[in-house]
Amino acid sequence: MSLLTPASEVIQRHLEHFTDRHVILAGDIQDELAATLEAASVRVITNQYHHWQRLQPLMGDMALFSATTPAEFIQPCDTLIYFWQKNKQEACFQLDDLCTHLAAGSQIFIVGENRSGVKSAESIMEGIASLQKIDSARRCGLYYGELEQPTTFDIARWWRHYELDNVRINALPGVFSHNELDIGSDLLLSTLTDPMSGDLLDLACGNGVIAAVIGSQNPEIKLTLSDVSASALDSAASTLEANKLTAKVIASDAYSDINDKFDWIISNPPFHDGLNTSYRAVENMIYQAPKYLKKGGRLRIVANAFLPYPDLLDKAFGSHEVLAKTGKFKVYQAVKR
């Protein structure tokens, strides 16, 4: 088993609560605790494809990758262990969804690192469950209560929308550029004004804004969008539909489920996994890019200027160029020779 996160180690201090319960784990799932937890039954729902890839071989159909929880999946459960998301709005969205399908009287455990903002769980759950802090260890807090008033989840309340160059962008909570276009993507798009053709992969697509703008300006281009986040994939699909664009939308951890080759790979890649800084995904994205590019194909990414991507690009491609930069961001391009 992989190492447990501090939050999971706190849950392990309270295993006696779960032995005869039907448990569902949700939220910021970062390890394999769900696969070893001893209970009457255990299910897990994760919004992150790479975490589902680790859990599914261990748990089969009891591990679900989804942005929202199907009623039939959660209704057999009487106990929720929720790992707090660093994005408060995403936590509210997920808890609203989860607490719609649980029965009144269900036990709720909410755990998270103090730096994640888990302390706000008590106020957020007010009127739904009266939470009390029952443990504090490993710089984490664990809160417990019983579900008093199930919620009435309506996903329509959670969608956010904005317009960019006559392109409508739709996004769910927790998705990057949720409320407005971020500065990095804006800089990347500023370098993509010339006509484009061929096959394009928008890797770590988020709400689909980059692909949607490119697709609306280049009707002949063939789009593929991928991300590890179920909420991002749902957002990207909604953005494409709103702009009458056709594309493949694929759940993939970098290139794990990508089988084609492209003329373009475009990305504003993340460098966080939960609360932690992680360059693994971006390193993988850059090193493997030549394998997924046609001859003459281009990788174009935007990144914080301080990140160590120039050396990675040179190792993978032999060279790179900087197409645009500000005090904070740079747009890099490398070409497969």
Side-chain angles (χ1 to χ4, degrees):
M1 179 180 168
S2 65
L3 292 175
L4 295 180
T5 64
S8 288
E9 290 179 345
V10 173
I11 291 295
Q12 280 202 312
R13 291 156 58 97
H14 300 269
L15 295 180
E16 69 278 4
H17 288 290
F18 310 116
T19 52
D20 61 349
R21 309 291 294 183
H22 298 277
V23 181
I24 184 165
L25 294 85
D28 187 21
I29 305 293
Q30 292 281 334
D31 58 30
E32 296 168 15
L33 174 68
T36 61
L37 189 69
E38 293 186 4
S41 68
V42 181
R43 299 172 184 233
V44 62
I45 179 167
T46 175
N47 185 44
Q48 297 294 310
Y49 186 65
H50 54 310
H51 297 310
W52 175 84
Q53 284 178 306
R54 289 209 315 266
L55 289 164
Q56 193 278 332
L58 302 172
M59 300 182 67
D61 291 342
M62 294 299 99
L64 180 66
F65 169 65
S66 181
T68 55
T69 314
E72 63 272 14
F73 187 77
I74 190 174
Q75 281 174 347
C77 302
D78 57 20
T79 301
L80 167 65
I81 301 175
Y82 183 80
F83 291 83
W84 194 256
Q85 297 279 8
K86 70 172 184 177
N87 184 301
K88 183 176 178 179
Q89 195 168 30
E90 183 175 18
C92 293
F93 168 74
Q94 292 178 344
L95 286 166
D96 184 20
D97 175 37
L98 292 159
C99 291
T100 289
H101 305 299
L102 290 168
S106 296
Q107 295 183 353
I108 297 177
F109 295 83
I110 296 180
V111 64
E113 294 188 43
N114 295 327
R115 62 181 175 142
S116 72
V118 68
K119 295 175 183 177
S120 62
E122 289 180 278
S123 59
I124 285 172
M125 294 295 286
E126 189 173 350
I128 303 169
S130 297
L131 298 181
Q132 291 186 329
K133 192 172 189 179
I134 62 170
D135 200 357
S136 181
R138 306 286 282 123
R139 298 181 180 176
C140 295
L142 174 63
Y143 298 81
Y144 168 77
E146 292 188 1
L147 183 61
E148 299 161 0
Q149 181 60 55
T151 54
T152 305
F153 180 70
D154 179 3
I155 197 170
R157 295 201 309 260
W158 292 98
W159 282 104
R160 295 294 178 267
H161 317 280
Y162 59 92
E163 301 278 336
L164 178 69
D165 298 331
N166 297 317
V167 175
R168 179 181 172 91
I169 311 303
N170 298 334
L172 290 170
V175 177
F176 190 59
S177 286
H178 174 225
N179 289 309
E180 61 183 359
L181 184 68
D182 65 283
I183 298 171
S185 294
D186 188 36
L187 186 65
L188 178 58
L189 286 169
S190 75
T191 71
L192 293 166
T193 55
D194 293 336
M196 300 171 67
S197 60
D199 297 289
L200 180 142
L201 171 63
D202 182 354
L203 203 56
C205 65
N207 58 27
V209 57
I210 294 172
V213 171
I214 292 172
S216 66
Q217 295 173 349
N218 303 273
E220 300 304 314
I221 203 161
K222 295 180 180 178
L223 300 172
T224 299
L225 290 75
S226 74
D227 207 290
V228 295
S229 162
S231 293
L233 295 171
D234 287 357
S235 299
S238 180
T239 293
L240 292 164
E241 182 180 9
N243 296 285
K244 297 181 172 58
L245 295 170
T246 301
K248 293 180 184 177
V249 180
I250 300 171
S252 185
D253 181 11
Y255 303 101
S256 68
D257 290 64
I258 303 297
N259 300 309
D260 299 318
K261 291 196 173 186
F262 302 90
D263 301 284
W264 295 88
I265 298 176
I266 306 292
S267 186
N268 181 356
F271 59 96
H272 288 93
D273 190 356
L275 286 169
N276 301 312
T277 299
S278 173
Y279 302 120
R280 180 194 64 84
V282 183
E283 290 175 356
N284 187 34
M285 176 191 298
I286 292 172
Y287 282 142
Q288 292 198 50
K291 188 190 306 184
Y292 294 91
L293 284 168
K294 302 174 187 177
K295 186 175 181 180
R298 285 167 275 192
L299 171 70
R300 190 175 299 188
I301 64 174
V302 63
N304 289 71
F306 71 87
L307 294 172
Y309 297 162
D311 288 344
L312 298 177
L313 290 162
D314 288 345
K315 287 178 183 176
F317 288 89
S319 64
H320 76 278
E321 58 183 319
V322 177
L323 300 181
K325 62 181 179 179
T326 65
K328 190 174 181 182
F329 293 97
K330 290 183 179 179
V331 177
Y332 301 101
Q333 178 169 279
V335 180
K336 180 178 179 179
R337 304 300 178 186

